[in-house]
Amino acid sequence: MVLSGTLGVFVVESGQPSFNVVFFRCVFGAVALAAYCLARGLFKHHNFTRRTFALAVLGGVCIVFNWVLLFSSYTKTSISVATVVYHTQPFYVVILGLVLFKERLNRHQAGWIVLAFLGVLLVADLTSADGKKGDAYFVGVGQALLAALLYAFATVIAKHLKSVRPELTALTQVLVGIPLLLPFTALGRTAGLGAGWAWLVGLGVIHTCVMYILLYASYQKLPTAKIAVLSFVYPAVAILADFTVYGHHITLLQALGVPLIVVAGLGVNLGWRLLPAGGRRTPGDKTAAPALTRIGEPR
């Protein structure tokens, strides 16, 4: 999660447009992940079928365009604002479960979702926008929200890929991104890039290969509750990095929105009750709110 929080700095410091950044993240990430999978012998028993491979490819389309939108949002708003708004993804997962799979939405989940989007409105700071109010700023906020929606789609798809090693799924996704993004990539912009290449290589090796491996290893060892809590290290580090490196800070109004999103995210992940019971329950009554759908993994 700490590595995730530094992602925005690598993107901005590369000095490249978002399509270029994601394209080279896919290229260097694919090389690093392929080397890791080869060294671990993961290709021998990949468990891919036509269906799971097609789902992995579809998830890859969602993931790479999610990155494009998020990285573009960094430059239109700030790393802090984009990251906090992006952290509404768990609520989209709940909503998609409701729409696509007819899962039940209880009033506690609905309350947390409303609270989270109230936090989004505060973080977006529609009144002052931290001195950046304008069309570009609001487009950036919208891009972060759309990026979160695409990540939610990828999360829902990933639920059907449990038979495939996550490292192989991640490798498939970045491989999909290479031909998909090539037509949109301005390769001429890399001429004379110099030190910018180090930031792009870092995005592929550190923030794609190493970070994914650490995350997937931790999921096998930690209960869901701890994963949910630790996932909010990501926006905290992003806000700190944005302030330390670029001097960007969130306003008091935006600061009020951050805990709303954090608490609402924990509430949805951990199944907390937000609203009082609607009536008295008799002994043995087990009509409690339905169990939550497990929220998708953080980046």
Side-chain angles (χ1 to χ4, degrees):
M1 288 298 100
V2 172
L3 289 177
S4 295
T6 64
L7 181 67
V9 174
F10 277 68
V11 171
V12 174
E13 289 300 310
S14 72
Q16 292 292 293
S18 57
F19 277 109
N20 280 26
V21 173
V22 178
F23 174 78
F24 287 109
R25 180 182 187 179
C26 289
V27 169
F28 296 124
V31 172
L33 280 167
Y36 175 81
C37 292
L38 184 62
R40 294 292 303 274
L42 301 184
F43 292 119
K44 296 178 181 178
H45 306 287
H46 55 76
N47 293 329
F48 271 122
T49 63
R50 288 185 179 180
R51 178 177 178 274
T52 56
F53 183 73
L55 286 173
V57 169
L58 180 60
V61 174
C62 293
I63 284 292
V64 296
F65 281 110
N66 142 77
W67 287 342
V68 169
L69 288 166
L70 179 62
F71 296 170
S72 180
S73 179
Y74 288 156
T75 60
K76 292 182 175 66
T77 57
S78 69
I79 294 172
S80 302
V81 170
T83 302
V84 174
V85 171
Y86 181 69
H87 241 69
T88 56
Q89 335 144 1
F91 311 105
Y92 286 125
V93 175
V94 173
I95 294 171
L96 288 176
L98 175 70
V99 174
L100 299 178
F101 306 111
K102 308 302 180 183
E103 296 177 356
R104 294 175 61 189
L105 178 70
N106 64 49
R107 58 199 180 94
H108 301 289
Q109 291 173 305
W112 289 124
I113 290 172
V114 171
L115 189 66
F117 281 99
L118 175 60
V120 169
L121 291 177
L122 291 173
V123 170
D125 197 0
L126 303 182
T127 58
S128 66
D130 196 21
K132 300 179 181 178
K133 186 175 181 180
D135 291 342
Y137 181 89
F138 298 122
V139 167
V141 171
Q143 286 177 323
L145 286 170
L146 186 54
L149 177 60
L150 286 176
Y151 187 80
F153 272 111
T155 299
V156 171
I157 292 170
K159 290 185 176 185
H160 300 277
L161 296 173
K162 294 180 180 179
S163 62
V164 180
R165 286 284 300 230
E167 296 91 339
L168 291 174
T169 300
L171 175 59
T172 302
Q173 291 172 339
V174 292
L175 285 173
V176 165
I178 295 173
L180 188 64
L181 297 177
L182 182 58
F184 307 101
T185 304
L187 296 177
R189 293 283 297 273
T190 61
L193 185 58
W197 284 112
W199 298 103
L200 294 175
V201 172
L203 282 168
V205 176
I206 300 172
H207 292 92
T208 305
C209 180
V210 175
M211 190 175 74
Y212 271 80
I213 292 169
L214 289 175
L215 284 176
Y216 295 142
S218 72
Y219 295 152
Q220 299 172 3
K221 301 176 176 64
L222 295 175
T224 302
K226 287 188 177 179
I227 293 174
V229 173
L230 289 171
S231 68
F232 287 97
V233 171
Y234 169 28
V237 172
I239 291 171
L240 179 61
D242 199 19
F243 174 74
T244 303
V245 179
Y246 303 111
H248 295 160
H249 61 84
I250 57 177
T251 66
L252 177 60
L253 187 64
Q254 291 173 311
L256 293 175
V258 173
L260 291 183
I261 296 175
V262 170
V263 172
L266 292 174
V268 166
N269 275 283
L270 306 181
W272 291 347
R273 290 177 176 270
L274 175 64
L275 303 172
R280 298 184 61 184
R281 293 169 56 194
T282 58
D285 180 10
K286 296 183 180 180
T287 57
L292 287 170
T293 302
R294 182 164 179 172
I295 301 303
E297 300 162 345
R299 286 119 314 276

